[in-house]
Coordinates of all heavy atoms in Angstrom, one line a residue:
D518 N 80.5 105.8 64.2 CA 79.9 104.5 63.9 C 79.9 104.4 62.4 O 78.7 104.5 61.7 CB 78.5 104.3 64.5 CG 78.6 104.3 66.0 OD1 79.6 103.9 66.6 OD2 77.6 104.7 66.6
H519 N 80.9 103.9 61.7 CA 81.0 103.9 60.3 C 80.2 102.7 59.6 O 80.0 102.8 58.5 CB 82.4 103.8 59.8 CG 83.2 102.6 60.3 ND1 83.5 102.4 61.4 CD2 83.3 101.4 59.6 CE1 84.3 101.2 61.7 NE2 84.1 100.7 60.5
L520 N 79.9 101.8 60.4 CA 79.1 100.6 59.9 C 77.6 100.8 60.0 O 76.8 100.0 59.4 CB 79.3 99.5 60.7 CG 80.8 98.8 60.6 CD1 80.9 97.6 61.5 CD2 81.2 98.6 59.2
L521 N 77.1 101.9 60.6 CA 75.7 102.1 60.9 C 75.1 103.3 60.1 O 75.7 104.4 60.2 CB 75.4 102.3 62.4 CG 75.8 101.2 63.3 CD1 75.6 101.7 64.8 CD2 74.9 100.1 63.1
P522 N 74.0 103.1 59.4 CA 73.3 104.2 58.9 C 72.4 104.8 60.0 O 72.5 104.3 61.1 CB 72.3 103.6 57.9 CG 72.1 102.2 58.4 CD 73.3 101.9 59.1
P523 N 72.0 106.1 59.7 CA 71.1 106.7 60.8 C 70.1 105.9 61.3 O 69.5 105.1 60.5 CB 70.7 107.9 60.1 CG 71.5 108.3 59.1 CD 72.1 107.0 58.6
L524 N 69.8 105.9 62.5 CA 68.7 105.0 63.1 C 67.4 105.4 62.3 O 67.0 106.5 62.3 CB 68.7 105.2 64.6 CG 67.7 104.3 65.4 CD1 68.1 102.8 65.1 CD2 67.7 104.6 66.9
G525 N 66.7 104.4 61.8 CA 65.4 104.6 61.1 C 65.7 104.7 59.5 O 64.7 104.3 58.8
A526 N 66.9 104.8 59.1 CA 67.3 104.6 57.7 C 67.3 103.3 57.3 O 67.6 102.4 58.1 CB 68.5 105.5 57.3
P527 N 67.1 103.0 55.9 CA 67.3 101.5 55.5 C 68.7 101.0 55.8 O 69.6 101.8 55.7 CB 67.0 101.6 54.0 CG 66.1 102.8 53.9 CD 66.6 103.9 54.9
L528 N 68.8 99.7 56.0 CA 70.0 99.0 56.3 C 70.7 98.8 54.9 O 70.1 98.5 53.9 CB 69.9 97.8 57.1 CG 69.4 97.9 58.4 CD1 69.0 96.7 59.2 CD2 70.5 98.8 59.4
P529 N 72.0 98.9 54.9 CA 72.8 98.6 53.6 C 72.7 97.0 53.3 O 72.3 96.2 54.1 CB 74.1 99.0 53.9 CG 74.3 98.9 55.4 CD 73.0 99.3 56.0
P530 N 73.2 96.6 52.1 CA 73.2 95.1 51.8 C 74.2 94.4 52.7 O 75.1 95.0 53.2 CB 73.7 95.3 50.3 CG 73.3 96.6 49.8 CD 73.5 97.5 51.0
G531 N 73.9 93.2 52.8 CA 74.7 92.3 53.7 C 74.3 92.2 55.1 O 74.7 91.3 55.8
W532 N 73.1 92.8 55.5 CA 72.6 92.6 56.7 C 71.5 91.5 56.8 O 70.8 91.2 55.7 CB 71.9 93.9 57.3 CG 73.0 94.9 57.7 CD1 73.8 95.6 57.0 CD2 73.1 95.5 59.0 NE1 74.6 96.4 57.7 CE2 74.1 96.5 58.9 CE3 72.3 95.3 60.2 CZ2 74.5 97.3 60.1 CZ3 72.7 96.2 61.3 CH2 73.8 97.1 61.3
V533 N 71.4 90.8 57.8 CA 70.4 89.7 58.0 C 69.3 90.4 58.9 O 69.7 91.0 60.0 CB 71.1 88.5 58.8 CG1 70.0 87.4 59.0 CG2 72.2 87.9 57.9
T534 N 68.0 90.1 58.6 CA 66.9 90.6 59.4 C 66.1 89.5 59.7 O 65.6 88.6 58.9 CB 66.2 91.8 58.6 OG1 67.0 92.8 58.4 CG2 65.0 92.2 59.4
M535 N 65.6 89.5 61.0 CA 64.4 88.5 61.3 C 63.4 89.3 62.2 O 63.9 90.2 62.9 CB 65.1 87.3 62.1 CG 65.7 87.8 63.4 SD 66.6 86.4 64.3 CE 68.1 86.4 63.3
E536 N 62.3 88.8 62.0 CA 61.1 89.5 62.9 C 60.2 88.3 63.4 O 60.0 87.3 62.8 CB 60.2 90.3 62.0 CG 59.2 91.1 62.6 CD 58.4 92.0 61.6 OE1 59.0 92.5 60.8 OE2 57.1 92.2 61.9
G537 N 59.8 88.6 64.7 CA 58.9 87.6 65.3 C 58.7 87.9 66.7 O 58.9 89.0 67.2
D538 N 58.2 86.8 67.4 CA 58.0 87.0 68.9 C 59.3 86.4 69.6 O 59.7 85.2 69.3 CB 56.7 86.2 69.3 CG 55.4 86.8 68.7 OD1 55.4 88.0 68.5 OD2 54.5 86.1 68.4
F539 N 59.8 87.2 70.5 CA 60.9 86.7 71.3 C 60.7 86.7 72.8 O 59.9 87.6 73.2 CB 62.0 87.7 71.0 CG 62.5 87.7 69.6 CD1 62.0 88.6 68.6 CD2 63.5 86.9 69.0 CE1 62.4 88.6 67.3 CE2 63.9 86.8 67.8 CZ 63.3 87.8 66.9
V540 N 61.3 85.8 73.5 CA 61.3 85.8 74.9 C 62.5 86.7 75.4 O 62.3 87.5 76.4 CB 61.5 84.4 75.4 CG1 61.8 84.4 76.9 CG2 60.1 83.6 75.3
L541 N 63.6 86.7 74.7 CA 64.7 87.5 75.0 C 65.6 87.7 73.8 O 65.7 86.9 72.9 CB 65.5 87.0 76.3 CG 66.2 85.7 76.0 CD1 67.7 85.9 75.4 CD2 66.4 84.9 77.4
I542 N 66.3 88.9 73.8 CA 67.3 89.1 72.8 C 68.5 89.6 73.6 O 68.3 90.7 74.4 CB 66.9 90.1 71.7 CG1 66.0 89.4 70.8 CG2 68.2 90.5 70.8 CD1 65.4 90.3 69.7
L543 N 69.7 89.1 73.5 CA 70.8 89.4 74.2 C 72.0 89.6 73.3 O 72.3 88.9 72.5 CB 71.1 88.4 75.3 CG 72.5 88.6 76.0 CD1 72.3 89.7 77.1 CD2 72.8 87.4 76.9
A544 N 72.6 90.9 73.4 CA 73.9 91.2 72.7 C 75.0 91.4 73.6 O 74.8 92.2 74.6 CB 73.7 92.5 71.8
I545 N 76.0 90.4 73.5 CA 76.9 90.4 74.6 C 78.3 90.4 74.1 O 78.6 90.0 73.1 CB 76.7 89.1 75.6 CG1 77.7 89.2 76.9 CG2 77.0 87.9 74.9 CD1 77.3 88.2 77.8
S546 N 79.3 91.1 74.7 CA 80.6 91.3 74.2 C 81.6 90.3 74.9 O 82.3 89.5 74.2 CB 81.2 92.8 74.5 OG 80.4 93.6 73.7
P547 N 81.7 90.3 76.3 CA 82.6 89.1 76.9 C 81.8 87.9 77.0 O 80.7 87.8 76.6 CB 83.0 89.8 78.2 CG 81.8 90.6 78.5 CD 81.3 91.1 77.3
S548 N 82.5 87.0 77.7 CA 81.9 85.5 77.7 C 80.8 85.5 78.7 O 79.9 84.7 78.6 CB 82.9 84.6 78.1 OG 83.8 85.0 79.3
H549 N 80.8 86.4 79.9 CA 80.0 86.1 81.0 C 78.8 87.1 81.0 O 79.0 88.4 80.7 CB 80.7 86.2 82.3 CG 81.6 85.1 82.6 ND1 82.5 84.4 81.6 CD2 81.6 84.1 83.6 CE1 83.0 83.4 82.2 NE2 82.5 83.2 83.4
L550 N 77.7 86.6 81.3 CA 76.5 87.5 81.6 C 76.4 87.8 83.2 O 75.8 88.7 83.6 CB 75.2 86.9 81.1 CG 73.9 87.6 81.3 CD1 73.9 89.0 80.7 CD2 72.7 86.8 80.9
G551 N 77.0 86.9 83.9 CA 77.1 87.0 85.4 C 78.4 86.3 85.8 O 78.9 85.6 85.0
A552 N 78.6 86.4 87.1 CA 79.9 85.7 87.6 C 79.8 84.3 87.4 O 80.8 83.6 87.2 CB 80.0 86.0 89.0
D553 N 78.6 83.7 87.3 CA 78.4 82.2 87.2 C 77.5 81.9 85.9 O 76.9 80.8 85.9 CB 77.8 81.6 88.4 CG 76.5 82.2 88.9 OD1 76.1 83.3 88.3 OD2 75.9 81.7 89.7
L554 N 77.4 82.9 85.0 CA 76.6 82.7 83.8 C 77.4 82.9 82.6 O 77.9 84.0 82.2 CB 75.4 83.6 83.8 CG 74.2 83.2 84.7 CD1 73.1 84.3 84.6 CD2 73.6 81.9 84.6
V555 N 77.8 81.9 81.8 CA 78.6 82.0 80.6 C 77.8 82.0 79.4 O 77.4 80.9 78.8 CB 79.7 80.8 80.7 CG1 80.7 81.0 79.5 CG2 80.3 80.7 82.0
A556 N 77.5 83.1 79.0 CA 76.4 83.2 77.9 C 77.0 83.1 76.5 O 76.4 82.4 75.5 CB 75.8 84.7 77.8
A557 N 78.3 83.5 76.4 CA 79.1 83.3 75.1 C 80.4 82.7 75.4 O 81.4 83.3 75.6 CB 79.2 84.7 74.3
P558 N 80.4 81.3 75.5 CA 81.6 80.6 76.0 C 82.9 80.8 75.3 O 83.9 80.8 76.0 CB 81.1 79.1 75.8 CG 79.7 79.1 75.7 CD 79.3 80.4 75.1

Side-chain angles (χ1 to χ4, degrees):
D518 296 326
H519 64 281
L520 297 177
L521 296 174
L524 189 59
L528 293 168
W532 284 61
V533 177
T534 298
M535 66 185 76
E536 182 176 329
D538 294 329
F539 297 91
V540 170
L541 68 87
I542 292 179
L543 174 68
I545 189 166
S546 297
S548 55
H549 285 55
L550 180 61
D553 57 348
L554 288 178
V555 189

